[in-house]
Amino acid sequence: MMVFPVVLCMMQTPKVYEAEIRWTQYGIPHITAKDWGSLSYGEGYAFAKDHLGSLADQVIRVRGERARYFGAGPGNRHVSSDIAFRALGFVEQAQALYPKLTPEIRETVDGFTAGYNAYLKEKGPESVASWGLGTEWVREISAVDLLAYNLSVIATTPNLAELIASAAPPKSGLEPVAEGLPVPEFPMASNGWALGSERTEQGKGMLVANPHFPWTGSNRFWEKHLTIPGQLNVYGVSLLGIPGVLIGFNDAVAWTHTVSAGKRFVLYTLDLVAGHPTRYYYDGKEREMTVKQLKIAVRQADGSVKQEEHPVYSSHYGPMVNIAGFEWSAKRAVSVRDANANNTQFYEQWRAMDLAKSLDDLKQAHARFNSIPWVNTIATSADGRAWYADTAATPHLSATATTAFAKRLESDFLVRLAWQRGVPLLDGSTSVNEWLNDPSTRPGVVPYAKMPMLERRDYVFNANDSYWLSHAKQTITGFSPLQGDEKTARSLRTRMNARLLDDTSPQGPAGADGKFSLEELAAAAVSNRSLSAELLRAEVAERAKAAGTVTIEGQTVDLSHAAQILAAWDGKYNTESVGAVLWREFITLYAPADTQKAGNLFATDFDPKQPVITPTQLATSETALVNLGKAVLVLKNARLALDTPLGKVQYASAKPGRIPVHGGDGLFEGLTNVVGFGTNRSTLEPFASPAKVVGSRALTKEGYPVNQGSSFLMALEYTSQGPRAKAILTYSQSGDTRSPQFADQTQLFGAKQWRMVRFTEKDIKADPSLITLKLNSKRP
């Protein structure tokens, strides 16, 4: 063990911080201190070592200063980002909130900021982790900067930045100023499993955390172990730059989160006053929109900075938005209200969860603060209870408003169109559709007592479908449509989760006794079983063998080899799997809607009484043969053999080269272990985006690159000796390409090699690679 004493002097440090950081293998920091400020000081310092550049980028973003440093950006993207973030006013919100924070939370924010700045001052901008080396935008931050960034993560409206920035009243006539933009998709997903005493070998609680998040940018997780002796001992992860543990465990409870299917915001249509496109009717009276005149600094090609003025309009609901099909005309405009716009107790919420001494304490944290922003909670406890709840911030509509909305879905094309795009569209001209205020919680959101939840002794789970199916045999009903759909088809991934957990057969993932060990649970999480393959593969292979060939646009395609490969394949997406690549190119030729109903893909329709089993059986049409023929042609044109193993083409990019990885798609392939590729507009961190192969949904000229999906994988069990856990942080702990911890866990993930979590003092001290750093910040 190596010990490096360090003395760090902060010119403006308001107090003395003392913390100890012990790094174990894979760069996991175990941080110990005597108070909240010192603990967070150590956390901020250790975090900056791994990801300082990523937080610096996000601070610039939330300040509305990207265009100042990076220019207008492609398609004016940086200017749009600056307009939206300045309009949403997170910095101003943080300035107002900071003096109202509880003393312990203020210590946390101050300490994390001071630790971050101490690391930057010690190392210098030219040595920071990740991709911001030596840049002028990497500089010290303030507590308000950190708070503003954390507020922006909790909110939903930053995802609508370009819609807000491009919203403008028509200058003349009926034509809008700009074409509307599509409502952005939110690719973040997850699986969460909680097992109770009836399904575990130890007779205590077990948990699987498997959030599906980006592998680049600020929405990555960072792993940590935080201890204040006698008060706090919690292990887990948070999103980059957020103090504390958001997903993790302590001696009594363990929890994870999945992105909720409920609605976090509402769009309001405003009926405009004739001749006055910034004036609207509300309960029969006219109201004037407010306007902010924003000045945005934009770097020019010659390096100079030019000030640009941009007006941003808002109704009393919130900012105006420019959405395709709902553009701002002389008669109508659309405004958005975010249920997380006033969510200021999220720190207290997770702090109370970190400190929970029982599942009841964890529940009480939800009831008291009701500040979970946009995720479900799946939790277990040492005494063998399993709990699911969707307590995410949800607009609280009256029964009258909910009934009226349901009727408009049937009669109003625009309302139905918006709902199909995933957003509720309400009539903003009447106070009937205002959100209700409940005295038990913050204004406008559904109170804890009216949120869906389920506790059991066998298991509960969620895979981003609504609360309705949180157990294979017990559904939850009776809630607002804004909280999620009921009696609707579930995704193939949800159905696969349910199958894995509900199977108590001797051949099931829990073995002959039907009760999970830690090793069985970890193996189930990355079993890579494809539900679409399990349901349809044999039928497709049989039909292809019988047909022999299929004609596609006048070309005869031989299906015999494809039939042989699919017949021999076990339906799994492991790196060595032969057949997975062919099945991917086949199944992804269908439309997403085909996976949830009878028609092109399935013969048997969805039955709400059998949501795990249906839809099922291959449709009788010729579509399957045609799509298989097209898949054969795609692979042939890409010069890939039909029997190419998945690991030869599916990879994570990491120095010194590509790392083969397993896993697949949840929508079409129906895996629980999801990996894939997507854009990430939240960050300016560069990443390669290879060109797609013509005719394929996922295949590129480089194969199947992976930059999102399974991220912090953790399997945990409670034992009589305390918690025992295995984990993999799939993209590894550090964002610094020079660090040994930049890709070490990515190698583990590719090989399905879990590492044991070091939680006890004995385990930490036994690590042969242990490095200890003692921090002491003193006033000058």
Side-chain angles (χ1 to χ4, degrees):
M1 181 180 72
M2 295 176 287
V3 179
F4 302 124
V6 173
V7 177
L8 300 171
C9 297
M10 292 292 296
M11 295 300 294
Q12 297 179 344
T13 301
K15 61 168 291 182
V16 174
Y17 297 113
E18 293 182 301
E20 180 182 78
I21 307 173
R22 293 177 292 174
W23 282 277
T24 53
Q25 191 177 16
Y26 304 107
I28 310 303
H30 305 259
I31 305 163
T32 303
K34 295 180 180 180
D35 58 75
W36 291 106
S38 292
L39 182 71
S40 295
Y41 182 86
E43 186 181 356
Y45 184 94
F47 166 81
K49 175 179 177 291
D50 291 326
H51 290 290
L52 190 146
S54 292
L55 182 55
D57 166 53
Q58 293 303 301
V59 168
I60 294 301
R61 183 183 183 222
V62 79
R63 283 174 175 168
E65 295 180 347
R66 275 192 167 170
R68 174 189 292 273
Y69 296 102
F70 302 104
N76 227 34
R77 184 182 302 168
H78 301 333
V79 172
S80 293
S81 175
D82 290 349
I83 293 170
F85 276 88
R86 292 278 303 281
L88 293 170
F90 292 112
V91 172
E92 290 80 4
Q93 291 176 37
Q95 289 170 337
L97 176 60
Y98 178 79
K100 301 176 184 178
L101 295 174
T102 64
E104 289 181 345
I105 297 299
R106 192 179 305 122
E107 286 179 23
T108 296
V109 175
D110 288 345
F112 192 98
T113 303
Y116 172 100
N117 289 337
Y119 184 87
L120 177 60
K121 185 176 181 180
E122 176 188 334
K123 302 298 182 182
E126 67 282 354
S127 298
V128 303
S130 185
W131 50 282
L133 295 173
T135 57
E136 60 180 318
W137 50 269
V138 174
R139 59 180 190 260
E140 291 190 9
I141 64 173
S142 69
V144 167
D145 287 330
L146 182 69
L147 180 55
Y149 168 60
N150 288 179
L151 285 169
S152 76
V153 173
I154 297 305
T156 309
T157 40
N159 296 298
L160 309 179
E162 292 185 59
L163 280 66
I164 294 170
S166 64
K171 296 179 180 178
S172 62
L174 299 176
E175 295 300 320
V177 172
E179 290 186 10
L181 301 171
V183 176
E185 297 180 1
F186 306 105
M188 295 183 292
S190 303
N191 304 318
W193 303 349
L195 281 70
S197 56
E198 294 177 1
R199 292 297 310 281
T200 68
E201 289 186 0
Q202 296 284 336
K204 298 178 180 293
M206 299 185 77
L207 184 87
V208 164
N210 183 11
H212 303 152
F213 270 54
W215 289 18
T216 59
S218 60
N219 286 321
R220 280 173 289 183
F221 292 104
W222 185 67
E223 198 167 348
K224 66 192 89 170
H225 181 193
L226 306 177
T227 303
I228 299 177
Q231 187 173 1
L232 174 76
N233 186 20
V234 64
Y235 188 106
V237 296
S238 68
L239 294 173
L240 300 189
I242 298 183
V245 168
L246 306 187
I247 291 175
F249 68 93
N250 59 33
D251 287 309
V253 289
W255 67 95
T256 187
H257 296 297
T258 61
V259 176
S260 167
K263 310 304 179 187
R264 311 281 78 85
F265 63 88
V266 165
L267 299 180
Y268 284 98
T269 57
L270 306 179
D271 297 329
L272 303 180
V273 177
H276 299 278
T278 61
R279 194 177 301 170
Y280 60 99
Y281 291 105
Y282 181 76
D283 282 346
K285 298 180 180 179
E286 296 181 11
R287 284 196 175 192
E288 187 69 37
M289 297 178 190
T290 58
V291 59
K292 282 185 178 181
Q293 293 289 348
L294 302 178
K295 290 186 176 181
I296 305 299
V298 183
R299 181 180 292 274
Q300 306 300 301
D302 62 0
S304 63
V305 176
K306 178 182 177 182
Q307 296 288 331
E308 296 183 3
E309 289 196 6
H310 295 271
V312 175
Y313 295 86
S314 299
S315 73
H316 73 283
Y317 297 111
M320 309 306 294
V321 288
N322 180 35
I323 299 177
F326 307 92
E327 294 87 353
W328 194 337
S329 71
K331 294 183 178 180
R332 183 197 64 208
V334 177
S335 184
V336 62
R337 182 177 178 185
D338 183 358
N340 280 304
N342 62 345
N343 188 350
T344 59
Q345 289 191 297
F346 58 92
Y347 285 128
E348 286 92 338
Q349 168 83 59
W350 270 294
R351 172 69 56 80
M353 292 168 65
D354 290 353
L355 290 167
K357 301 299 182 184
S358 66
L359 184 60
D360 289 333
D361 280 356
L362 192 82
K363 289 182 177 182
Q364 183 58 34
H366 287 71
R368 179 183 177 189
F369 298 108
N370 201 35
S371 292
I372 293 292
W374 32 263
V375 290
N376 303 284
T377 301
I378 301 93
T380 193
S381 57
D383 59 352
R385 299 158 67 188
W387 183 61
Y388 161 81
D390 185 354
T391 62
T394 307
H396 190 15
L397 298 179
S398 67
T400 300
T402 301
T403 300
F405 176 66
K407 291 181 178 178
R408 288 186 73 194
L409 278 175
E410 297 178 357
S411 61
D412 192 316
F413 170 76
L414 288 178
V415 174
R416 188 163 57 251
L417 177 63
W419 189 248
Q420 290 169 351
R421 296 179 182 179
V423 293
L425 184 66
L426 300 183
D427 180 1
S429 67
T430 171
S431 57
V432 170
N433 290 322
E434 290 283 5
W435 301 357
L436 300 179
N437 295 331
D438 188 288
S440 68
T441 189
R442 58 194 171 85
V445 298
V446 175
Y448 173 81
K450 294 184 178 181
M451 290 173 164
M453 55 191 76
L454 176 67
E455 182 179 333
R456 293 182 63 96
R457 281 282 179 174
D458 53 356
Y459 70 87
V460 293
F461 80 98
N462 183 265
N464 306 116
D465 277 321
S466 77
Y467 57 83
W468 178 62
L469 191 71
S470 300
H471 185 279
K473 296 183 177 68
Q474 181 178 355
T475 56
I476 308 173
T477 59
F479 296 89
S480 163
L482 270 61
Q483 291 172 285
D485 294 332
E486 298 176 4
K487 299 180 180 180
T488 58
R490 306 288 95 171
S491 71
L492 289 169
R493 176 163 60 91
T494 288
R495 294 168 63 189
M496 189 74 252
N497 275 264
R499 283 185 168 219
L500 287 166
L501 290 169
D502 204 56
D503 186 354
T504 56
S505 70
Q507 297 77 34
D513 60 0
K515 296 184 177 183
F516 282 98
S517 67
L518 183 62
E519 289 68 30
E520 289 169 337
L521 192 66
V526 291
S527 61
N528 291 325
R529 289 169 53 184
S530 164
L531 183 56
S532 64
E534 292 185 8
L535 294 174
L536 304 170
R537 175 191 58 82
E539 290 185 83
V540 172
E542 288 174 6
R543 288 197 200 173
K545 179 180 179 181
T549 62
V550 67
T551 301
I552 299 175
E553 297 180 354
Q555 180 178 358
T556 299
V557 181
D558 183 6
L559 299 179
S560 58
H561 191 201
Q564 292 173 359
I565 291 170
L566 293 182
W569 177 43
D570 63 2
K572 295 182 179 180
Y573 275 70
N574 295 317
T575 53
E576 70 275 12
S577 294
V578 172
V581 173
L582 178 60
W583 187 260
R584 174 173 294 168
E585 292 309 313
F586 159 75
I587 198 68
T588 55
L589 287 170
Y590 289 90
D594 290 333
T595 65
Q596 296 189 320
K597 64 182 180 181
N600 291 327
L601 181 59
F602 289 111
T604 303
D605 205 1
F606 167 72
D607 180 354
K609 295 181 181 179
Q610 301 184 89
V612 178
I613 298 174
T614 60
T616 190
Q617 296 180 312
L618 185 64
T620 58
S621 68
E622 293 297 305
T623 305
L625 295 179
V626 172
N627 283 353
L628 185 58
K630 289 180 178 179
V632 169
L633 291 177
V634 164
L635 294 177
K636 179 181 179 180
N637 293 336
R639 297 184 178 180
L640 289 175
L642 299 187
D643 59 357
T644 298
L646 180 64
K648 186 175 181 179
V649 288
Q650 183 166 277
Y651 64 94
S653 294
K655 294 181 179 180
R658 292 168 33 150
I659 299 173
V661 296
H662 50 89
D665 161 74
L667 175 62
F668 294 100
E669 295 159 5
L671 274 74
T672 60
N673 176 32
V674 171
V675 296
F677 187 86
T679 58
N680 186 351
R681 300 291 287 270
S682 71
T683 180
L684 297 184
E685 183 175 356
F687 58 88
S689 184
K692 289 280 183 68
V693 170
V694 176
S696 176
R697 189 184 292 269
L699 186 62
T700 75
K701 296 184 183 301
E702 298 295 324
Y704 299 115
V706 171
N707 72 350
Q708 65 181 29
S710 292
S711 51
F712 177 61
L713 276 164
M714 183 180 73
L716 171 142
E717 67 174 351
Y718 282 101
T719 74
S720 57
Q721 288 77 43
R724 177 172 173 258
K726 294 184 174 185
I728 312 173
L729 189 61
T730 58
Y731 37 73
S732 305
Q733 178 79 339
S734 176
D736 186 351
T737 58
R738 305 161 301 176
S739 169
Q741 285 79 48
F742 178 70
D744 53 353
Q745 292 192 67
T746 312
Q747 296 279 4
L748 293 183
F749 176 63
K752 286 192 182 181
Q753 294 179 358
W754 297 72
R755 58 177 175 79
M756 293 303 299
V757 168
R758 295 183 181 274
F759 184 65
T760 66
E761 275 297 302
K762 179 180 178 181
D763 284 342
I764 295 169
K765 291 179 179 178
D767 189 323
S769 61
L770 187 67
I771 297 174
T772 299
L773 177 67
K774 294 183 182 296
L775 300 177
N776 187 345
S777 166
K778 296 182 178 179
R779 296 185 183 186

